[in-house]
Amino acid sequence: MVELKTDTSIDAMYEAGQVVGRALTAVRDAADVGVSLLELDEVARDVLRAAGASSPFLGYRPSFAPTPFPAVVCASVNDAIVHGIPTAYRLRDGDLVSIDCGAELGGWVGDSAISFTVGTPRPADVRLIETAERALAAGIEAAVVGNRIGDIAHAIGTVCREAGYGIPEDFGGHGIGRRMHEDPAVPNEGRPGRGLPLRHGMALAIEPMVLAGGGDGYHAAPDGWTLKTNDGSRAAHAEHTVAITEAGPRVLTERQ
């Protein structure tokens, strides 16, 4: 069931989203050659702690997971697409890093993700990240009252496919509100004019994931959480929590 949020609830979600935005900015600023993924997770923990927020990621255990998630961010490097567990791995020059973070504040949740390079960027990685961000922007632009879920999915998929990239099957965005994952599912590829109508008060986490190799296949790493590309190519991930309003889409996790 899809819960329509009141304008007051959307304002509260914005406050949670701002914590997420600050955490992602702090992590990106701290990421450098030699910094470990665990250290980046601690940076995000500090931001959440200072805001009086908790993490919807920490301890989360969906049906597919062998263990509860042990961190407050997902840190996915190079061929890891999403759900990477922060480890003692120290970043190297040229790494492509995707960080996904959530925050719960006042009973409401925000969820967002960014991708960036460390040290000397590879031109191919820059293009991949820019495409993920363009796909996210296209999805947000389509998130208007009167459109349908399929319009968001089509907008995202068109940007990714036209750039020659793959899209992982069965993974995409989702509804969000009092819980991190709510109805409806928001695919990253689909047909326009299909699916659930978009209404004022819906809140969605829109999150394109793009695979540089052009294929859509992925597999789970031995940790049971991290998803990796089948061909070893690099991946990028971009995400915002967005409210559907009569005035247009409102990004709740914007970053400074």
Side-chain angles (χ1 to χ4, degrees):
M1 183 178 71
V2 176
E3 177 192 5
L4 297 180
K5 281 72 177 176
T6 66
D7 292 346
T8 299
S9 297
I10 291 172
D11 288 341
M13 289 186 67
Y14 178 83
E15 295 303 318
Q18 293 310 286
V19 177
V20 178
R22 292 198 297 273
L24 288 174
T25 298
V27 169
R28 182 181 57 197
D29 290 347
D32 202 354
V33 175
V35 175
S36 76
L37 300 181
L38 283 172
E39 288 169 339
L40 295 183
D41 184 68
E42 191 58 39
V43 168
R45 287 176 189 254
D46 287 344
V47 174
L48 267 60
R49 190 179 301 118
S54 60
S55 170
F57 289 18
L58 185 62
Y60 182 61
R61 188 178 185 181
S63 58
F64 68 80
T67 57
F69 196 75
V72 304
V73 300
C74 296
S76 306
V77 180
N78 297 334
D79 65 336
I81 307 167
V82 288
H83 301 164
I85 295 176
T87 65
Y89 174 84
R90 295 193 176 277
L91 296 172
R92 301 171 183 173
D93 186 55
D95 277 347
L96 192 165
V97 183
S98 297
I99 301 291
D100 193 351
C101 183
E104 182 176 352
L105 184 69
W108 296 97
V109 177
D111 184 13
S112 184
I114 56 173
S115 293
F116 53 85
T117 58
V118 175
T120 308
R122 300 182 182 185
D125 290 344
V126 173
R127 178 173 177 267
L128 184 69
I129 293 169
E130 289 176 345
T131 301
E133 292 174 345
R134 284 195 298 110
L136 175 58
I140 293 172
E141 185 177 0
V144 296
V145 173
N147 271 0
R148 293 176 177 265
I149 291 291
D151 294 303
I152 297 175
H154 179 71
I156 292 170
T158 297
V159 171
C160 298
R161 294 299 188 190
E162 287 183 350
Y165 296 132
I167 301 169
E169 301 169 347
D170 304 323
F171 277 86
H174 49 88
I176 186 170
R178 295 187 183 277
R179 292 175 290 110
M180 182 167 58
H181 291 122
E182 297 183 353
D183 292 332
V186 186
N188 284 330
E189 193 166 31
R191 298 175 64 181
R194 299 295 183 92
L196 192 70
L198 302 179
R199 300 171 59 190
H200 180 90
M202 292 175 66
L204 307 173
I206 300 173
E207 52 177 323
M209 308 160 197
V210 290
L211 314 185
D216 300 343
Y218 61 87
H219 63 275
D223 63 24
W225 274 99
T226 309
L227 300 183
K228 293 197 168 191
T229 60
N230 280 347
D231 58 7
S233 64
R234 294 190 168 195
H237 179 204
E239 178 184 18
H240 271 309
T241 295
V242 179
I244 312 297
T245 79
E246 294 289 355
R250 181 182 178 187
V251 177
L252 306 180
T253 47
E254 60 187 358
R255 297 180 292 275
Q256 299 302 317

